[in-house]
Amino acid sequence: MAVTAEAGRLKAEGVDIVAFGAGEPDFATPDNIKQAAIRALDANFTRYTPAAGIPELRKAVCEWHKKDLDTNYEMAECIICVGGKHVIFNTMAAVVEHGDEVVLPVPYWVTFYDVINYHGGKAVRVETREDNGFRLTAADIERVLTPKTKMVIVNSPSNPSGAVVPPDEFERIYRLTSSRGILLLSDECYSHFVYDGKPFSIGSVEGAKPNVVVVGSLSKTYAMTGWRVGFALGPRALIEAINKLQSHSTSNPTSITQKAALEALTGPQDSVPRMLAEYRRRRDYVIPTLNGIPGVHCPEPGGAFYAYPNISCCFGKAGIASGMDFSTKLLHEAHVAVVPGEAFGTNEHVRISYAASMDDLQRGLERIRKFIVEKTS
Ligand SMILES: Cc1ncc(COP(=O)(O)O)c(C=O)c1O
């Protein structure tokens, strides 16, 4: 967000910035969803709702999840929150005690790290390997588990790397954590944007429910980032605890948004494959283009809409010694906004969001290529 703010400041000064910083779809919310919100307003659906969300939406989440991800949750195992971020915050608040260890695969989405710390937990980093496309394995996790481990976080497809944990490996991770009574928090906010195979939820594994909390969101799937709607699927006791907390903090997610979310989940679904096809087209342009820049390496993402190239070829050149130096110079000299890897726990990378038009991708990547060639020659 800081990068986006600085890029916005330069833009306001009239600088032609190409922005790859923001982690949100560049598509408009589909019209049927917007119309549902307008209808809700016209019908004065503007009062408090149950804190956990309206029953028809909670049921719709369970049914939609069953249809698309093969799970079997009931309404009492589902709560609607103010975005996936809020689900994560609430879950940590309900589960993490002072001094508990929470395993966090690197590179991680920055919010996890700060929220663990905020709740008095200790983030235990587990490195993944770039040469394995940053895909997490059960063996990686096993190495860092201790008697104090309370929770393990898996985010697949990943922000920032786009890495997807294959279902069989994911199951191994689940068996490892559940056998030790550790809660597996599975952030599946990008579940519907996978390029190979079908969307997968760890909640679909037989018997997984007691030890898994699935974090979901409509933000990316339906291009609804500003609406703020996400959900948790998990053990009843945890959902009930989150409900109590939520009823005293935010109360219900916005009433109008809930009606829009209901339409998103139950109405026409054609926007989702359309967006996925477009992300795929962009990925198939972005990754080879990045790898075509001398010295740059970028694993192919299996999902989401992020590329996470290694730009350490520039280190030691023109005062660049980190992803942060690279991003700052790139923004000010080449007018391209990317996010430094430090935000995600690594030093040698930057995150490029390809939720941007093909025209911007072509212009921006050409600027990045020129910048790197200039710095390294
Ligand atoms: C991995 C991951 N989880 C959760 C979220 C939360 O999204 P929201 O709060 O908009 O649902 C994001 C947003 O960028 C994300 O990248």
Side-chain angles (χ1 to χ4, degrees):
M1 284 182 175
V3 173
T4 307
E6 176 66 0
R9 197 185 60 74
L10 291 170
K11 241 182 188 165
E13 284 174 8
V15 181
D16 168 32
I17 299 287
V18 180
F20 296 147
E24 63 178 335
D26 56 319
F27 302 105
T29 303
D31 202 50
N32 62 310
I33 300 174
K34 293 194 282 195
Q35 292 306 322
I38 292 167
R39 282 196 303 276
L41 259 180
D42 286 343
N44 292 316
F45 191 71
T46 52
R47 303 211 159 141
Y48 292 133
T49 76
I54 50 176
E56 55 268 47
L57 178 57
R58 293 168 75 192
K59 278 188 206 144
V61 167
C62 297
E63 276 160 28
W64 171 81
H65 216 261
K66 182 181 199 158
K67 178 168 61 71
D68 286 9
L69 294 142
D70 226 10
T71 55
N72 197 15
Y73 287 97
E74 292 168 14
M75 193 176 93
E77 298 164 322
C78 173
I79 184 164
I80 313 300
C81 300
V82 186
K85 230 178 213 182
H86 192 213
V87 174
I88 293 164
F89 193 92
N90 284 345
T91 306
M92 296 277 178
V95 172
V96 175
E97 306 284 350
H98 216 88
D100 282 345
E101 293 180 359
V102 178
V103 173
L104 184 59
V106 181
Y108 48 77
W109 179 49
V110 62
T111 289
F112 288 125
Y113 188 82
D114 286 341
V115 172
I116 294 166
N117 284 322
Y118 179 80
H119 289 294
K122 181 172 170 238
V124 176
R125 296 162 54 111
V126 52
E127 303 295 331
T128 57
R129 290 190 5 236
E130 187 179 326
D131 63 6
N132 186 34
F134 297 109
R135 280 183 291 275
L136 180 69
T137 67
D140 294 333
I141 291 193
E142 192 161 18
R143 278 194 286 277
V144 299
L145 295 183
T146 77
K148 286 189 176 168
T149 310
K150 183 64 122 351
M151 187 191 284
V152 167
I153 293 174
V154 178
N155 170 216
S156 173
S158 150
N159 176 5
S161 70
V164 172
V165 180
D168 54 346
E169 192 63 34
F170 214 149
E171 247 189 90
R172 276 194 279 279
I173 293 171
Y174 155 70
R175 299 215 181 281
L176 176 69
T177 52
S178 65
S179 68
R180 301 190 190 199
I182 296 166
L183 184 69
L184 181 60
L185 184 153
S186 179
D187 181 331
E188 302 178 4
C189 288
Y190 296 91
S191 59
H192 284 63
F193 297 140
V194 286
Y195 300 113
D196 305 298
K198 286 194 338 195
F200 173 77
S201 171
I202 194 64
S204 66
V205 171
E206 182 85 38
K209 274 192 199 173
N211 296 301
V212 168
V213 58
V214 172
V215 178
S217 170
L218 275 66
S219 285
K220 321 285 165 161
T221 317
Y222 296 100
M224 290 179 75
T225 45
W227 297 76
R228 313 307 303 133
V229 59
F231 58 86
L233 295 168
R236 274 167 199 246
L238 174 61
I239 298 298
E240 196 37 52
I242 292 176
N243 189 15
K244 274 190 193 152
L245 181 67
Q246 184 157 298
S247 74
H248 294 297
S249 53
T250 55
S251 288
N252 59 275
T254 307
S255 58
I256 305 151
T257 287
Q258 291 189 60
K259 286 288 189 184
L262 186 60
E263 171 63 22
L265 300 176
T266 58
Q269 298 295 307
D270 48 304
S271 63
V272 182
R274 234 190 357 258
M275 284 191 271
L276 175 61
E278 183 56 27
Y279 290 141
R280 182 195 303 277
R281 189 169 83 93
R282 296 172 187 179
R283 178 195 69 158
D284 292 348
Y285 169 70
V286 168
I287 307 304
T289 306
L290 284 170
N291 281 315
I293 303 172
V296 174
H297 303 282
C298 185
E300 184 169 84
F305 40 69
Y306 304 110
Y308 203 57
N310 184 316
I311 45 77
S312 61
C313 58
C314 294
F315 289 8
K317 319 268 165 76
I320 297 175
S322 65
M324 180 65 101
D325 296 339
F326 179 93
S327 307
T328 307
K329 280 195 190 301
L330 185 74
L331 180 60
H332 289 279
E333 294 176 23
H335 302 154
V336 180
V338 298
V339 185
E342 283 93 328
F344 311 104
T346 74
N347 183 39
E348 300 186 334
H349 307 87
V350 294
R351 189 192 76 177
I352 293 174
S353 165
Y354 52 87
S357 70
M358 216 42 189
D359 183 49
D360 274 0
L361 288 169
Q362 280 162 352
R363 285 190 314 130
L365 289 180
E366 180 52 21
R367 290 184 192 182
I368 292 175
R369 191 192 64 75
K370 271 198 187 139
F371 175 85
I372 292 176
V373 167
E374 199 183 282
K375 297 294 174 215
T376 52
S377 56

